[in-house]
Amino acid sequence: MTAVVALLPPAWLRPWTNDIEALATFPLAPFGHAGNSLASWLRRPPDPLSDLPPAAAERLRKAELEMERFARLYRESERRVIQLEREVAELELVPLIQMPHETAPLRASITRRTPGKSQGVVHLNRGESAGVQPNTVAVYGGTHLVGRITDVTRLQSTLLPISNTSTPPINAKVYPREHPELSPRDAPVAQLIPVGDGTFRADADRAYGLAVGDIVYLYDHTWPDTAQHLLIGTITSVRPKDNAPLRDAIIVEPQYQVVGVSAVTLLIEHSNDPQDAQDAEASVVLEDGS
Amino acid sequence: MKWSIFAVALVMALILETSMRQLLIFRGMSPSFLACLVVFVALFATRMSALWACWIAGMMMDILSSITWQDHETFVLLGPYALGYTLAGFMVLQIRAMVFRRRALTVGALALACVLLASLFAVGIFVLRSWYTEPALSAYLSQGSALAEIGHRLGIAVYTGLIAIPIGWLLQTSLPVWGFEMVGPRRGWR
């Protein structure tokens, strides 16, 4: 019977095996959370500021976050300018300029990992009750993209790392290490494909002159707005392709990965749509009972 | 065998599998604690108890290894590890009369064989499934192809075999609490 079940198509399995998984793993969640915390304590996640005195490291960390935030805001503004110019050129009416969505960071701890797969999905201790939705973006260190949410229950959610091979190819922009202020309009484009070992491979036109150390940011409209211009990683290898002399094969490696951390930050999106604000107020009134 | 002790040990092994395993990652490979437990039980429990224990452990491994494809579809595939570990347990049952069961080295060697056999069986099931139903083979594997996956899992098997030596020694010290029917006090030479 086990052999028969093992050969059934996913559509026949999903309705009941996912429930079995939830039942079987629910008791393990607290212990898994403790285990992951202990693992994190025994093997600290990478921290490039660890050699500095604590006060200086804290100031430097804040300054870096601030710099990354403003750089991201600048690139986001540039992207919107490009988008608006395109719309004007196509003679479309733009009734409202959409401001970037407000986001609220939410720390989520990893309670369970997929055994045997370093890039496998992980389960977090935040769910719908905390505002997590499918496609919610997860970051580490403020701006380092590590994955996005695929499944959500009331109390838990499933995070798919960006380096998982099930993640579709990711469109990205590459900024030279010496010129990180380059406009998104001028930055070369690359399509990153997860290799399966935590890195990404891509092909790029040799004319771009990509080099080791160049920084790669997400620039993919299939991802939520909250993910745009988040840092994916840096180029660690550039090699010419033998079968395509005008193209280079590049390898991109993230600085932080889900496998090396015990918690991530979820970017919970709050819409600036006035109708959504009215609905939120109405729900608050109902909860108050007044 | 006392099933309550097995349940506690199984839960501990699963917690180690899902949380502490990342501590021992080396070149993308990490050892399987569950395989160490499976081999230990198969060495000492009665035949039916050993096979049921292997099946339960494999089923839990299937439950924890959900498969994601198309970026958002997730499902749990029951069977590959349940059958794989049962097969591995059957292998241990066949040869346990020929090995020194109380040696930690035996646990290490058999854990290597157990992980390899279970992995070969699981990958075989994945390949078979990819021929006639979704998702494609890549959704099941962490490497690019079945051969690369088997090579990767061979590395995991070797790593597991090494880790199983100290774990096997630890489990051997807990033999009295397990209540195995086939295990008696050691008798010295007279």
Side-chain angles (χ1 to χ4, degrees):
Chain A
M1 192 166 131
T2 309
V4 170
V5 170
L7 297 174
L8 291 176
W12 293 19
L13 290 170
R14 201 176 299 121
W16 53 283
T17 58
N18 285 0
D19 292 335
I20 292 176
E21 183 204 10
L23 276 172
T25 57
F26 186 72
L28 293 178
F31 302 103
H33 188 178
N36 274 291
S37 299
L38 178 61
S40 170
W41 179 76
L42 288 172
R43 186 171 171 174
R44 292 237 175 245
D47 183 1
L49 303 178
S50 59
D51 292 332
L52 293 173
E58 185 61 30
R59 282 200 302 274
L60 191 54
R61 189 178 289 116
K62 282 182 182 171
E64 278 194 358
L65 283 174
E66 202 69 22
M67 185 187 75
E68 286 284 339
R69 185 172 149 258
F70 281 112
R72 198 173 153 228
L73 281 173
Y74 164 70
R75 280 187 283 273
E76 181 66 22
S77 304
E78 281 282 306
R79 183 181 77 87
R80 296 212 179 274
V81 165
I82 294 168
Q83 183 184 353
L84 286 172
E85 284 179 350
R86 197 178 295 129
E87 287 176 357
V88 167
E90 292 170 357
L91 299 177
E92 284 188 30
L93 292 173
V94 181
L96 283 172
I97 295 176
Q98 290 184 351
M99 299 299 290
H101 286 226
E102 290 181 6
T103 57
L106 178 69
R107 183 177 168 81
S109 297
I110 296 173
T111 58
R112 185 161 59 90
R113 303 174 187 270
T114 304
K117 288 184 182 177
S118 58
Q119 308 301 325
V121 296
V122 299
H123 298 261
L124 308 177
N125 65 345
R126 301 289 190 182
E128 281 175 350
S129 59
V132 181
Q133 299 292 328
N135 270 341
T136 297
V137 171
V139 300
Y140 186 81
T143 54
H144 295 261
L145 178 67
V146 292
R148 64 174 163 178
I149 301 296
T150 54
D151 267 341
V152 188
T153 62
R154 180 141 178 81
L155 296 175
Q156 296 187 45
S157 49
T158 304
L159 174 68
L160 179 70
I162 54 169
S163 48
N164 185 292
T165 49
S166 294
T167 301
I170 303 171
N171 292 321
K173 289 268 185 180
V174 184
Y175 292 81
R177 188 175 44 178
E178 292 84 16
H179 302 288
E181 74 287 355
L182 197 65
S183 163
R185 200 194 312 252
D186 302 322
V189 176
Q191 191 177 67
L192 307 181
I193 298 171
V195 174
D197 60 356
T199 62
F200 301 86
R201 63 175 172 85
D203 289 348
D205 201 327
R206 184 167 298 175
Y208 290 151
L210 300 182
V212 171
D214 288 351
I215 309 165
V216 182
Y217 292 89
L218 183 136
Y219 192 80
D220 192 325
H221 299 290
T222 61
W223 284 68
D225 287 344
T226 48
Q228 302 306 319
H229 297 294
L230 285 175
L231 184 60
I232 294 178
T234 54
I235 293 178
T236 56
S237 165
V238 180
R239 288 190 302 177
K241 293 192 72 171
D242 293 333
N243 54 356
L246 297 180
R247 300 188 72 77
D248 287 329
I250 64 172
I251 299 291
V252 176
E253 186 169 339
Q255 186 175 358
Y256 301 111
Q257 296 188 43
V258 171
V259 68
V261 303
S262 63
V264 297
T265 303
L266 300 175
L267 301 181
I268 307 297
E269 196 172 311
H270 295 300
S271 170
N272 282 328
D273 186 348
Q275 184 59 41
D276 288 347
Q278 288 177 9
D279 292 343
E281 284 181 12
S283 67
V284 168
V285 167
L286 287 172
E287 283 172 7
D288 282 345
S290 56
Chain B
M1 178 176 78
K2 291 180 185 172
W3 285 97
S4 56
I5 302 296
F6 172 72
V8 170
L10 180 63
V11 167
M12 287 173 61
L14 291 173
I15 291 167
L16 290 173
E17 283 280 334
T18 56
S19 60
M20 304 292 277
R21 197 170 170 174
Q22 53 154 341
L23 271 182
L24 301 173
I25 282 185
F26 176 71
R27 294 195 177 198
M29 297 179 293
S30 54
S32 171
F33 298 96
L34 199 61
C36 304
L37 176 66
V38 161
V39 164
F40 173 74
V41 170
L43 277 173
F44 292 102
T46 57
R47 196 173 191 83
M48 285 314 296
S49 296
L51 290 176
W52 275 113
C54 292
W55 185 85
I56 292 169
M59 192 59 75
M60 289 306 299
M61 189 71 161
D62 286 323
I63 288 172
L64 294 176
S65 305
S66 55
I67 294 159
T68 302
W69 56 296
Q70 290 184 353
D71 196 25
H72 58 279
E73 299 280 345
T74 304
F75 72 100
V76 172
L77 177 60
L78 298 178
Y81 287 108
L83 292 172
Y85 275 124
T86 306
L87 195 65
F90 184 74
M91 173 202 70
V92 174
L93 288 171
Q94 297 305 306
I95 65 175
R96 67 181 183 177
M98 296 183 274
V99 300
F100 295 106
R101 285 191 275 173
R102 289 182 186 264
R103 296 280 191 267
L105 210 56
T106 304
V107 177
L110 290 178
L112 189 158
C114 170
V115 170
L116 194 57
L117 191 59
S119 297
L120 280 172
F121 194 85
V123 172
I125 296 255
F126 298 150
V127 169
L128 187 62
R129 287 182 59 91
S130 68
W131 287 346
Y132 66 91
T133 187
E134 291 176 313
L137 187 60
S138 57
Y140 299 103
L141 309 178
S142 59
Q143 307 299 308
S145 66
L147 273 178
E149 182 73 17
I150 290 172
H152 177 74
R153 293 192 185 217
L154 175 62
I156 291 176
V158 171
Y159 198 174
T160 303
L162 291 171
I163 291 293
I165 294 171
I167 294 178
W169 176 82
L170 263 171
L171 288 170
Q172 303 270 5
T173 59
S174 69
L175 264 174
V177 303
W178 284 82
F180 290 122
E181 289 145 8
M182 298 173 68
V183 173
R186 287 176 184 265
R187 292 194 184 85
W189 287 101
R190 292 179 191 173

